[in-house]
Amino acid sequence: WVYDQYVSILTGSLLISVLLSIYLYLSSFVRGKLLAEGGNSGVSIYDFFMGRELNPRIGSLDLKEFCELYPGLIGWTILNLGMAHKQYVLTGSVGIPMLLVNGFHLLYVLDAMYYERAILTTMDITTDGFGFMLAFGDLTWVPFTYSLQARILVDHTPDLSPWFLVAILLLKIVGYTIFRGSNGVKDQFRRDPNHPSVSHLKTLKTERGRLLMVSGWWGLARHINYFGDWLMGLSWCLPCGKNLLAYFYAIYFGVLLVHRDSRDDHFCRIKYGKDWDKYIKLVPYRFIPYVY
């Protein structure tokens, strides 16, 4: 059913994103709302897109944090399972590439939900307003773009060798190890830099009093977690074989990460000044250790 009603579900998701964005924009004009600096320019279209209010709530429900995790990620998982079911209906079985894609994606979703508190320190939560950009991204872009590989595999299942499948699995393991290991250290260090698991790390103390890690995972590259995230994304695409459309995610995500790095570098230069130049000398690589 999910496969057959795909366009209808997509249309409904887009409509919900637009209606939610209109509500968020109008409600942000209520007196006393905490506004995001980047979404309070005075240009209506821009502010509608970026989001005026920082953390809109209905009662105790933080709408931005909720949408960052639950509707889109759960919807993504349901779409994937729907594609696997459609493949089973058509062929009488679920192929290994489909199983890999569903398994890889499910691990990513469960990881995000288990480590939910880690998103509280991300720029999406701390800095960006909640407008159409995030509403559309959370509710429509994520579930329907990230499930692309599963949809492709319904109609185009490649004949992959066992060795290639093992290589894909190993790539996923490497990517997840880098991603989870580096993010776990970052989250623990932000909460308690004196915790035994991170207290041994070398740091650079800035004039603002903040500590920047310059050893361990975070001594290898300034955004080592991005590298692990991208490797996982590539492992999602490879089960589709030579289907070029399946690699849209890896290309798009790579461009997104480069942009994020540029944005982070800009803000950090403003925030830390000369200390940021010192930090870059200590950690010269952006994503890939000894490469870039």
Side-chain angles (χ1 to χ4, degrees):
W1 183 87
V2 171
Y3 179 88
D4 297 330
Q5 301 299 321
Y6 188 83
V7 175
S8 298
I9 300 171
L10 172 59
T11 303
S13 173
L14 179 58
L15 180 60
I16 292 172
S17 299
V18 172
L19 292 176
L20 175 60
S21 301
I22 293 172
Y23 164 77
L24 293 169
Y25 181 74
L26 295 178
S27 65
S28 69
F29 289 95
V30 175
R31 185 184 298 274
K33 296 290 188 178
L34 177 62
L35 303 181
E37 183 178 348
N40 189 27
S41 69
V43 180
S44 298
I45 295 178
Y46 179 81
D47 292 347
F48 173 81
F49 181 79
M50 296 300 297
R52 294 186 79 246
E53 190 174 356
L54 185 61
N55 292 106
R57 294 175 178 270
I58 296 179
S60 61
L61 177 64
D62 187 316
L63 291 174
K64 184 165 67 170
E65 184 189 350
F66 175 77
C67 290
E68 279 274 310
L69 281 177
Y70 294 99
L73 295 187
I74 293 173
W76 172 18
T77 303
I78 292 173
L79 287 172
N80 274 351
L81 292 174
M83 302 307 156
H85 178 261
K86 182 65 175 181
Q87 186 182 73
Y88 178 79
V89 169
L90 292 175
T91 66
S93 64
V94 178
I96 293 179
M98 180 69 84
L99 290 174
L100 285 177
V101 166
N102 269 263
F104 291 169
H105 289 180
L106 181 60
L107 174 61
Y108 193 87
V109 170
L110 292 176
D111 178 273
M113 292 185 173
Y114 184 78
Y115 294 101
E116 177 179 357
R117 67 180 178 182
I119 74 165
L120 298 177
T121 57
T122 63
M123 289 190 70
D124 283 358
I125 299 296
T126 63
T127 306
D128 295 336
F130 192 26
F132 180 76
M133 179 181 72
L134 287 181
F136 171 77
D138 294 340
L139 304 181
T140 303
W141 180 263
V142 166
F144 289 93
T145 301
Y146 288 26
S147 62
L148 177 63
Q149 292 81 26
R151 181 169 172 80
I152 289 172
L153 288 172
V154 172
D155 302 308
H156 306 280
T157 301
D159 184 16
L160 304 177
S161 70
W163 289 112
F164 190 69
L165 294 172
V166 170
I168 294 173
L169 181 59
L170 290 176
L171 180 64
K172 171 66 178 183
I173 293 172
V174 170
Y176 183 74
T177 299
I178 296 172
F179 173 79
R180 177 44 41 215
S182 58
N183 278 326
V185 168
K186 178 181 68 173
D187 183 49
Q188 182 61 62
F189 187 82
R190 284 177 171 175
R191 287 186 286 110
D192 180 12
N194 296 316
H195 190 275
S197 64
V198 295
S199 61
H200 65 284
L201 296 174
K202 296 179 181 179
T203 59
L204 171 67
K205 188 172 184 178
T206 67
E207 293 181 359
R208 295 171 61 96
R210 295 290 300 274
L211 297 175
L212 302 177
M213 291 180 288
V214 295
S215 68
W217 284 113
W218 296 95
L220 295 175
R222 300 197 294 274
H223 283 110
I224 188 67
N225 56 332
Y226 288 2
F227 180 47
D229 210 349
W230 188 81
L231 288 179
M232 287 194 295
L234 180 61
S235 75
W236 303 348
C237 305
L238 288 170
C240 295
K242 297 180 180 180
N243 190 301
L244 297 180
L245 182 60
Y247 294 86
F248 168 78
Y249 175 79
I251 296 170
Y252 142 76
F253 195 46
V255 173
L256 176 66
L257 293 179
V258 170
H259 175 265
R260 282 184 181 177
D261 171 71
S262 177
R263 184 182 71 165
D264 291 349
D265 183 75
H266 172 72
F267 284 123
C268 287
R269 284 186 182 279
I270 295 174
K271 183 176 182 180
Y272 296 115
K274 294 181 180 179
D275 288 327
W276 189 246
D277 293 324
K278 296 178 184 178
Y279 171 69
I280 288 177
K281 289 181 180 179
L282 293 171
V283 188
Y285 300 102
R286 293 174 179 266
F287 302 138
I288 309 174
Y290 309 107
V291 177
Y292 174 72

